[in-house]
Amino acid sequence: MRENPNEKKREHFASQFGLVMAAVGSAVGLGNVWRFSYITGINGGGAFLVIYIVCVLLVGVPVLISELTIGRKSGFSSVAAFKTLAPGSFWWLVGALEVFASTLIISYYPVVAGWTLGYVLESLTDWSFVTADPAATFAAFSSGWKAFVAAAAALLCSMLIVLGGVTSGIEKWSSLLMPALGVILLALLARSLSLPGAFEGLSFLLQPDFSKLGVRSVLDALGHTFYSLSLGMGIMITYASYMKKDVDLALAAVSIITLDTLVALLAGLAIFPTVFALGFDPAQGVGLAFVTLPAAFAKIPAGWLFSALFFLLLFIAALTSLISLLQVPIAFLEDSAGLSRTKAALVVCTVATVLGVPAVLSFGPMADVTFLGYTWFNLLDTLANVVLMPLAGFLGIMFIIFRFGVDASLAEFLTGAKKQDNLLARIYSPAIRWIAPVAMSLILLHTLSR
Ligand code: PHE
């Protein structure tokens, strides 16, 4: 193995709490807030929840562990991590895929993050405009100049945090923002559950309906496990490269999956009762967040306040995910090209702007311009999330099995662990050797057959 010349001067997360908050900040994103609850609802509620939790335990956890061990063992971000653990081979290409994918996402994620920021301000200053005709308001907002300013502001905020460094930027802000997100979530939850008629929303989310379960449900659960835990992007590898050797990775992994799943569940409980109590259709996606919910909030007293809080929650979720994404190409340029953090940030910002401007325009003047049948925004999203993320995820597992070694990975996992014989360590070997590859092949086959 190559000596790590970086080891001494590399920054480290100062506390276990801080690094868990940073990783949870990445995992808790827009997907937790609307996607999870929606796919749970359409796939039979409580029945799907069981499948999701099994997927998290048998596929999410082992892949998360494998990424954490690659990062911490090598002490490097993606690409350099693979080069360090497998010198003279082509495995670094897996890292390159991850850096490429995260850069693509950085180009369009600020667009959505910008909408959420814009809607916080609109709710506070122009509530009657938001609620007069929510669909028209959203169309006007996302196609106008405000969308540009908002996207640029979101990118700038996250960039400034990353420029602050791992400890005083990412760790400090995540430790502040994630608890704030928790408090906002609880406030929204209390409001939602106290609405008359909330029960219908609860049963949409939780009542098991086995007749709605099918092969599709398993694929949905697998795909979401991967997306929700921010796997296959080099994020967990990069964050783990800043972890000290005495960090208990088992505790970190358990905290990450528990908090990510808990936030997704609570967000569902905060959204669906509101939607049902007020008689709206729980349609998937952007429509739910930016059109249905403002319309629903308009019907409750002080709706503007709850709307502002909801979009603030979304903004925090998006911002901390964006931070983790930015750190991947920035750390790559620092570790592999020797650039300073500022120079690396400038390069990433320039690429994100060049690719991101047409992504903003995809909702305005470029709405009819398609590439392979997709708008530019959807092309970036599909390429990153549907193609590159599962591919990198699959190859990452192959790397563990055929090159790094499951036992070496497990040994790293147990370095710093308080209990050597923990449950995760016991399921890790069979899960990463057998279950995760089969699951990832299913996702890939499904992608290819689309
Ligand atoms: N994990 C985030 C979510 O649940 C999405 C995400 C994926 C963010 C990959 C960054 C990278 O919404």
Side-chain angles (χ1 to χ4, degrees), residues 26-32 105 109 224 226-231 233 235 260 321-322 324-325 385 389:
S26 175
V28 170
L30 301 168
N32 293 62
I105 303 190
Y109 213 80
H224 191 71
F226 227 73
Y227 180 78
S228 192
L229 291 172
S230 302
L231 301 172
M233 286 280 138
I235 291 176
D260 184 58
S321 293
L322 195 51
S324 71
L325 281 164
N385 288 315
M389 202 166 177

mmCIF file of all heavy atoms in Angstrom, residues 26-32 105 109 224 226-231 233 235 260 321-322 324-325 385 389, ligand 1:
data_model
loop_
_atom_site.group_PDB
_atom_site.id
_atom_site.type_symbol
_atom_site.label_atom_id
_atom_site.label_comp_id
_atom_site.label_asym_id
_atom_site.label_seq_id
_atom_site.Cartn_x
_atom_site.Cartn_y
_atom_site.Cartn_z
ATOM 1 N N SER A 26 -25.823 14.719 4.665
ATOM 2 C CA SER A 26 -25.775 14.285 3.273
ATOM 3 C C SER A 26 -26.940 13.354 2.964
ATOM 4 O O SER A 26 -27.638 13.502 1.962
ATOM 5 C CB SER A 26 -24.460 13.560 3.008
ATOM 6 O OG SER A 26 -24.460 13.050 1.710
ATOM 7 N N ALA A 27 -27.156 12.397 3.856
ATOM 8 C CA ALA A 27 -28.195 11.387 3.595
ATOM 9 C C ALA A 27 -29.597 11.989 3.622
ATOM 10 O O ALA A 27 -30.442 11.660 2.790
ATOM 11 C CB ALA A 27 -28.076 10.262 4.625
ATOM 12 N N VAL A 28 -29.833 12.884 4.572
ATOM 13 C CA VAL A 28 -31.155 13.507 4.647
ATOM 14 C C VAL A 28 -31.223 14.606 3.602
ATOM 15 O O VAL A 28 -30.557 15.633 3.720
ATOM 16 C CB VAL A 28 -31.407 14.098 6.051
ATOM 17 C CG1 VAL A 28 -32.663 14.945 6.061
ATOM 18 C CG2 VAL A 28 -31.507 12.980 7.068
ATOM 19 N N GLY A 29 -31.979 14.338 2.552
ATOM 20 C CA GLY A 29 -32.081 15.316 1.481
ATOM 21 C C GLY A 29 -33.513 15.428 1.017
ATOM 22 O O GLY A 29 -34.441 14.999 1.714
ATOM 23 N N LEU A 30 -33.663 15.972 -0.174
ATOM 24 C CA LEU A 30 -35.020 16.149 -0.696
ATOM 25 C C LEU A 30 -35.743 14.808 -0.801
ATOM 26 O O LEU A 30 -36.950 14.729 -0.655
ATOM 27 C CB LEU A 30 -34.949 16.815 -2.071
ATOM 28 C CG LEU A 30 -34.261 18.186 -2.052
ATOM 29 C CD1 LEU A 30 -33.948 18.661 -3.462
ATOM 30 C CD2 LEU A 30 -35.150 19.194 -1.334
ATOM 31 N N GLY A 31 -34.955 13.755 -1.045
ATOM 32 C CA GLY A 31 -35.533 12.419 -1.190
ATOM 33 C C GLY A 31 -36.283 11.959 0.053
ATOM 34 O O GLY A 31 -37.322 11.325 -0.036
ATOM 35 N N ASN A 32 -35.756 12.302 1.232
ATOM 36 C CA ASN A 32 -36.432 11.889 2.474
ATOM 37 C C ASN A 32 -37.780 12.560 2.616
ATOM 38 O O ASN A 32 -38.699 12.012 3.197
ATOM 39 C CB ASN A 32 -35.616 12.323 3.700
ATOM 40 C CG ASN A 32 -34.313 11.596 3.784
ATOM 41 O OD1 ASN A 32 -33.497 11.726 2.891
ATOM 42 N ND2 ASN A 32 -34.132 10.817 4.818
ATOM 43 N N ILE A 105 -24.465 16.077 -10.456
ATOM 44 C CA ILE A 105 -25.555 16.438 -9.527
ATOM 45 C C ILE A 105 -25.379 17.862 -8.997
ATOM 46 O O ILE A 105 -26.348 18.608 -8.854
ATOM 47 C CB ILE A 105 -25.646 15.440 -8.350
ATOM 48 C CG1 ILE A 105 -25.830 14.022 -8.892
ATOM 49 C CG2 ILE A 105 -26.803 15.800 -7.437
ATOM 50 C CD1 ILE A 105 -26.175 13.001 -7.846
ATOM 51 N N TYR A 109 -28.568 20.264 -8.673
ATOM 52 C CA TYR A 109 -29.142 20.274 -7.321
ATOM 53 C C TYR A 109 -29.392 21.705 -6.803
ATOM 54 O O TYR A 109 -30.410 21.959 -6.166
ATOM 55 C CB TYR A 109 -28.198 19.521 -6.379
ATOM 56 C CG TYR A 109 -28.883 18.768 -5.254
ATOM 57 C CD1 TYR A 109 -29.467 17.524 -5.477
ATOM 58 C CD2 TYR A 109 -28.935 19.292 -3.965
ATOM 59 C CE1 TYR A 109 -30.079 16.831 -4.437
ATOM 60 C CE2 TYR A 109 -29.540 18.605 -2.934
ATOM 61 C CZ TYR A 109 -30.105 17.378 -3.167
ATOM 62 O OH TYR A 109 -30.705 16.698 -2.146
ATOM 63 N N HIS A 224 -34.220 3.298 -3.596
ATOM 64 C CA HIS A 224 -34.305 4.397 -2.635
ATOM 65 C C HIS A 224 -33.286 4.249 -1.511
ATOM 66 O O HIS A 224 -32.757 5.241 -1.019
ATOM 67 C CB HIS A 224 -35.721 4.535 -2.071
ATOM 68 C CG HIS A 224 -35.882 5.813 -1.299
ATOM 69 N ND1 HIS A 224 -35.906 7.043 -1.914
ATOM 70 C CD2 HIS A 224 -35.930 6.051 0.027
ATOM 71 C CE1 HIS A 224 -35.981 7.988 -0.989
ATOM 72 N NE2 HIS A 224 -36.009 7.412 0.201
ATOM 73 N N PHE A 226 -30.320 3.160 -1.730
ATOM 74 C CA PHE A 226 -29.072 3.651 -2.275
ATOM 75 C C PHE A 226 -29.029 5.162 -2.354
ATOM 76 O O PHE A 226 -28.077 5.814 -1.942
ATOM 77 C CB PHE A 226 -28.919 3.055 -3.679
ATOM 78 C CG PHE A 226 -27.574 2.515 -3.881
ATOM 79 C CD1 PHE A 226 -27.206 1.339 -3.256
ATOM 80 C CD2 PHE A 226 -26.656 3.183 -4.651
ATOM 81 C CE1 PHE A 226 -25.936 0.854 -3.396
ATOM 82 C CE2 PHE A 226 -25.390 2.703 -4.807
ATOM 83 C CZ PHE A 226 -25.030 1.539 -4.180
ATOM 84 N N TYR A 227 -30.131 5.702 -2.897
ATOM 85 C CA TYR A 227 -30.227 7.146 -3.080
ATOM 86 C C TYR A 227 -30.245 7.851 -1.731
ATOM 87 O O TYR A 227 -29.548 8.824 -1.498
ATOM 88 C CB TYR A 227 -31.503 7.453 -3.858
ATOM 89 C CG TYR A 227 -31.714 8.908 -4.122
ATOM 90 C CD1 TYR A 227 -31.008 9.562 -5.130
ATOM 91 C CD2 TYR A 227 -32.621 9.653 -3.363
ATOM 92 C CE1 TYR A 227 -31.193 10.908 -5.370
ATOM 93 C CE2 TYR A 227 -32.814 11.002 -3.594
ATOM 94 C CZ TYR A 227 -32.103 11.618 -4.600
ATOM 95 O OH TYR A 227 -32.281 12.951 -4.832
ATOM 96 N N SER A 228 -31.047 7.306 -0.834
ATOM 97 C CA SER A 228 -31.259 7.985 0.434
ATOM 98 C C SER A 228 -30.002 8.013 1.299
ATOM 99 O O SER A 228 -29.769 8.970 2.027
ATOM 100 C CB SER A 228 -32.403 7.320 1.191
ATOM 101 O OG SER A 228 -32.777 8.126 2.272
ATOM 102 N N LEU A 229 -29.204 6.967 1.218
ATOM 103 C CA LEU A 229 -27.992 6.956 2.043
ATOM 104 C C LEU A 229 -26.800 7.606 1.322
ATOM 105 O O LEU A 229 -25.674 7.542 1.793
ATOM 106 C CB LEU A 229 -27.655 5.523 2.456
ATOM 107 C CG LEU A 229 -28.649 4.887 3.452
ATOM 108 C CD1 LEU A 229 -28.351 3.411 3.651
ATOM 109 C CD2 LEU A 229 -28.612 5.605 4.791
ATOM 110 N N SER A 230 -27.057 8.240 0.187
ATOM 111 C CA SER A 230 -26.003 8.917 -0.600
ATOM 112 C C SER A 230 -24.843 7.980 -0.926
ATOM 113 O O SER A 230 -23.677 8.331 -0.770
ATOM 114 C CB SER A 230 -25.435 10.135 0.145
ATOM 115 O OG SER A 230 -26.425 11.052 0.458
ATOM 116 N N LEU A 231 -25.194 6.745 -1.375
ATOM 117 C CA LEU A 231 -24.134 5.786 -1.697
ATOM 118 C C LEU A 231 -23.788 5.853 -3.185
ATOM 119 O O LEU A 231 -24.545 6.391 -3.982
ATOM 120 C CB LEU A 231 -24.599 4.371 -1.323
ATOM 121 C CG LEU A 231 -24.960 4.205 0.159
ATOM 122 C CD1 LEU A 231 -25.591 2.842 0.421
ATOM 123 C CD2 LEU A 231 -23.735 4.393 1.032
ATOM 124 N N MET A 233 -21.539 7.558 -4.659
ATOM 125 C CA MET A 233 -21.222 8.915 -5.110
ATOM 126 C C MET A 233 -19.844 9.346 -4.640
ATOM 127 O O MET A 233 -19.434 10.470 -4.877
ATOM 128 C CB MET A 233 -22.208 9.913 -4.471
ATOM 129 C CG MET A 233 -23.559 9.894 -5.026
ATOM 130 S SD MET A 233 -23.539 10.817 -6.547
ATOM 131 C CE MET A 233 -24.550 9.748 -7.499
ATOM 132 N N ILE A 235 -19.273 10.043 -1.671
ATOM 133 C CA ILE A 235 -19.471 10.951 -0.528
ATOM 134 C C ILE A 235 -18.983 10.314 0.770
ATOM 135 O O ILE A 235 -18.205 10.910 1.525
ATOM 136 C CB ILE A 235 -20.965 11.324 -0.390
ATOM 137 C CG1 ILE A 235 -21.376 12.207 -1.561
ATOM 138 C CG2 ILE A 235 -21.221 12.027 0.940
ATOM 139 C CD1 ILE A 235 -22.840 12.569 -1.588
ATOM 140 N N ASP A 260 -31.450 8.725 9.268
ATOM 141 C CA ASP A 260 -31.963 8.940 7.909
ATOM 142 C C ASP A 260 -33.369 8.363 7.775
ATOM 143 O O ASP A 260 -34.274 9.013 7.239
ATOM 144 C CB ASP A 260 -31.015 8.295 6.887
ATOM 145 C CG ASP A 260 -31.451 8.570 5.453
ATOM 146 O OD1 ASP A 260 -31.562 9.769 5.104
ATOM 147 O OD2 ASP A 260 -31.704 7.613 4.703
ATOM 148 N N SER A 321 -26.854 18.320 1.829
ATOM 149 C CA SER A 321 -26.536 17.309 0.810
ATOM 150 C C SER A 321 -25.582 17.905 -0.227
ATOM 151 O O SER A 321 -24.640 17.257 -0.678
ATOM 152 C CB SER A 321 -27.804 16.815 0.104
ATOM 153 O OG SER A 321 -28.604 16.109 1.006
ATOM 154 N N LEU A 322 -25.860 19.160 -0.586
ATOM 155 C CA LEU A 322 -25.018 19.834 -1.579
ATOM 156 C C LEU A 322 -23.575 19.984 -1.070
ATOM 157 O O LEU A 322 -22.609 19.789 -1.817
ATOM 158 C CB LEU A 322 -25.637 21.209 -1.888
ATOM 159 C CG LEU A 322 -25.151 21.955 -3.118
ATOM 160 C CD1 LEU A 322 -25.193 21.092 -4.363
ATOM 161 C CD2 LEU A 322 -25.997 23.208 -3.344
ATOM 162 N N SER A 324 -22.009 17.997 0.909
ATOM 163 C CA SER A 324 -21.309 16.706 0.820
ATOM 164 C C SER A 324 -20.945 16.390 -0.629
ATOM 165 O O SER A 324 -19.894 15.832 -0.911
ATOM 166 C CB SER A 324 -22.171 15.593 1.411
ATOM 167 O OG SER A 324 -23.279 15.316 0.585
ATOM 168 N N LEU A 325 -21.827 16.782 -1.548
ATOM 169 C CA LEU A 325 -21.531 16.545 -2.964
ATOM 170 C C LEU A 325 -20.324 17.366 -3.401
ATOM 171 O O LEU A 325 -19.441 16.878 -4.103
ATOM 172 C CB LEU A 325 -22.731 16.947 -3.821
ATOM 173 C CG LEU A 325 -23.890 15.959 -3.889
ATOM 174 C CD1 LEU A 325 -25.139 16.644 -4.419
ATOM 175 C CD2 LEU A 325 -23.518 14.776 -4.788
ATOM 176 N N ASN A 385 -28.232 9.621 -11.412
ATOM 177 C CA ASN A 385 -28.917 8.769 -10.428
ATOM 178 C C ASN A 385 -29.336 7.411 -10.946
ATOM 179 O O ASN A 385 -29.397 6.447 -10.200
ATOM 180 C CB ASN A 385 -30.149 9.482 -9.878
ATOM 181 C CG ASN A 385 -29.741 10.602 -8.957
ATOM 182 O OD1 ASN A 385 -28.867 10.419 -8.128
ATOM 183 N ND2 ASN A 385 -30.324 11.749 -9.141
ATOM 184 N N MET A 389 -24.802 6.160 -10.590
ATOM 185 C CA MET A 389 -24.821 5.791 -9.172
ATOM 186 C C MET A 389 -24.914 4.271 -8.970
ATOM 187 O O MET A 389 -24.079 3.696 -8.254
ATOM 188 C CB MET A 389 -25.990 6.494 -8.500
ATOM 189 C CG MET A 389 -25.893 6.665 -7.032
ATOM 190 S SD MET A 389 -27.196 7.856 -6.697
ATOM 191 C CE MET A 389 -27.162 8.022 -4.984
HETATM 192 N N1 PHE B 1 -29.433 11.324 0.051
HETATM 193 C C1 PHE B 1 -30.110 12.436 -0.532
HETATM 194 C C2 PHE B 1 -31.629 12.316 -0.307
HETATM 195 O O1 PHE B 1 -32.114 11.436 0.341
HETATM 196 C C3 PHE B 1 -29.916 12.570 -1.990
HETATM 197 C C4 PHE B 1 -28.502 12.586 -2.438
HETATM 198 C C5 PHE B 1 -28.000 11.593 -3.211
HETATM 199 C C6 PHE B 1 -27.691 13.647 -2.063
HETATM 200 C C7 PHE B 1 -26.687 11.604 -3.602
HETATM 201 C C8 PHE B 1 -26.395 13.663 -2.438
HETATM 202 C C9 PHE B 1 -25.907 12.647 -3.223
HETATM 203 O O2 PHE B 1 -32.361 13.118 -0.793
#
